[in-house]
Amino acid sequence: MYNLTIAHLYPEQMNIYGDRGNIITLRQRCAWREITTTLIPVMPGSSIDWQSVDLAFFGGGQDSGQALIAADFVEHQAEPLRRAAETGMVLLAICGGYQLLGHYFLTHTGEKLPGIGLLDVHTVGSTQRLIGNLLIEANWGTGRQTLVGFENHSGGTFLGKGVKPLGKVLAGHGNNGQDGSEGAVWQNVIGCYMHGSLLPKNPHFADHLLELALQRRHGASATLSPLDDQLELAAHNTMVERLQH
């Protein structure tokens, strides 16, 4: 029987627009397959053995919540988390969590807030918010797939050469509303602006993350048994059709 350890970064401060639903989805999809999961909440000041973590989630938060945890994240978690990511730990970060993985956030007032530089991205704040449903086309090695979510951010994120986009925007704004990209990927680290919650709306993407985590922990031959996702995919496809038309 397989087992996975999942870390949830700052669940009290960084949990907006239903981001906690991503953790619920990951654990439930494991439970249906009789995969045992251990959940580790990462709180301010926590000491975490990141090498024991297979999959981590870092949600978004209000600006006030993000300000409360930013220094703690940089000081206590950045380096051990980076070492785990370099050895294949899976990390999904959304909105504020995504921004903190980059080099810096330049606010619209000119204040430069440091990130940890795990992803080769930077974010520039604006007085204009990018809000609405978001549809992208992505490809993580199994052919073209669609992802749907909800975005609400004032920061525009720009990618460097060390990352590739998660996908191409088909409807909505994405990273910055300018270049048609959404999200950033480096190794098994994925950042994006897709709230909503993301994973309940995209079970195929949830399984992609779980399979990466399983293979890191249990070897390349570890695979997921199929689930009946008829209802989940019907809801997903309804949103795709709505946003395309």
Side-chain angles (χ1 to χ4, degrees), residues 161-177:
K161 294 181 179 180
V163 295
K164 61 181 181 179
L166 173 61
K168 177 178 70 175
V169 174
L170 301 180
H173 304 283
N175 278 325
N176 50 58

Side-chain angles (χ1 to χ4, degrees), residues 3-176:
N3 63 284
L4 288 175
T5 297
I6 300 173
H8 188 176
L9 284 132
Y10 307 106
E12 295 181 4
Q13 296 86 0
M14 303 294 280
N15 175 41
I16 198 168
Y17 302 124
D19 280 347
R20 192 183 301 272
N22 294 301
I23 291 289
I24 295 171
T25 296
L26 291 167
R27 300 193 76 189
Q28 185 59 59
R29 294 184 73 80
C30 284
W32 282 332
R33 296 174 165 109
E34 298 185 347
I35 298 171
T36 303
T37 57
T38 300
L39 180 63
I40 301 174
V42 182
M43 309 301 287
S46 291
S47 178
I48 304 296
D49 176 12
W50 281 102
Q51 291 296 332
S52 72
V53 174
D54 305 303
L55 196 160
F57 174 69
F58 198 177
Q62 300 281 3
D63 290 347
S64 56
Q66 188 168 332
L68 284 172
I69 60 90
D72 181 86
F73 179 58
V74 172
E75 181 179 348
H76 292 106
Q77 309 302 339
E79 285 310 310
L81 183 145
R82 180 194 306 279
R83 291 192 293 270
E86 289 171 348
T87 58
M89 183 191 72
V90 182
L91 171 57
L92 172 64
I94 294 176
C95 201
Y98 173 26
Q99 294 167 353
L100 284 168
L101 295 186
H103 296 297
Y104 62 85
F105 185 112
L106 183 65
T107 70
H108 73 277
T109 60
E111 184 181 6
K112 195 172 186 179
L113 305 174
I116 68 168
L118 182 62
L119 289 177
D120 184 16
V121 306
H122 70 275
T123 302
V124 179
S126 168
T127 57
Q128 177 187 2
R129 297 201 71 84
L130 306 178
I131 305 174
N133 289 308
L134 179 59
L135 169 65
I136 72 170
E137 181 182 84
N139 187 340
W140 51 82
T142 57
R144 294 178 180 177
Q145 306 269 8
T146 52
L147 297 176
V148 295
F150 176 81
E151 60 181 332
N152 184 351
H153 54 107
S154 61
T157 296
F158 298 88
L159 277 55
K161 294 181 179 180
V163 295
K164 61 181 181 179
L166 173 61
K168 177 178 70 175
V169 174
L170 301 180
H173 304 283
N175 278 325
N176 50 58

